[in-house]
Amino acid sequence: MKKRNNKIVLGLILVIALVYIISTGINPSADKLAKDFIKDFYQVKVDSETYQASIDLEGLKDHYGPYFTENGFDDFIMDRPMVAIERSLFLRKFKMEVLSIDLEASLKEEDHEVYNYRAELKLTYDDGQEENITESGYVNMLKVNNGWKIDKSRIGLNHFME
């Protein structure tokens, strides 16, 4: 009887551990989601053959939507940061690589976190020249349905507005 109870307890512990591991993998922490978004944003690629200075809202929603709350995505689209980056990549003919992303929490509450970031980027121009730049901004994270979403953001674009 004792061996059977031990097996039941061990089975319950394994199930609880498995549920915990799965749930933490599905819903990344706020800082991981923030870092993933920043890296994804700055790794944009532009095909000079097919570039158009227009916004494919459906494509953007599919690509960036999962990072954001509904209001956060609407604000992101209104600010149009992806247009500035894509236009700069197309006109100035360079590829961009994320070298590092440093996050600093300026607010950490149970359901709300804010991260300031500095992203070090490497630009490689078509003529072979390279340039390292740093962009900074912030992401405001809210807990939504036990997961984190970006509700507001300011994307660093200083180098791309020239």
Side-chain angles (χ1 to χ4, degrees), residues 37-95:
F37 165 70
I38 294 161
K39 184 175 183 180
D40 189 20
F41 179 80
Y42 286 116
Q43 286 186 333
V44 67
K45 306 269 188 282
V46 173
D47 181 354
S48 59
E49 303 275 326
T50 60
Y51 172 76
Q52 299 176 43
S54 63
I55 296 178
D56 170 15
L57 289 178
E58 196 71 26
L60 290 173
K61 182 75 168 174
D62 290 345
H63 187 87
Y64 292 111
Y67 291 111
F68 288 93
T69 64
E70 192 170 321
N71 289 337
F73 182 74
D74 290 346
D75 289 346
F76 175 71
I77 292 300
M78 295 282 288
D79 288 345
R80 300 168 47 113
M82 76 297 296
V83 172
I85 291 236
E86 288 179 357
R87 185 172 187 276
S88 186
L89 286 167
F90 175 71
L91 294 175
R92 295 169 55 204
K93 309 285 188 222
F94 61 86
K95 292 181 176 59

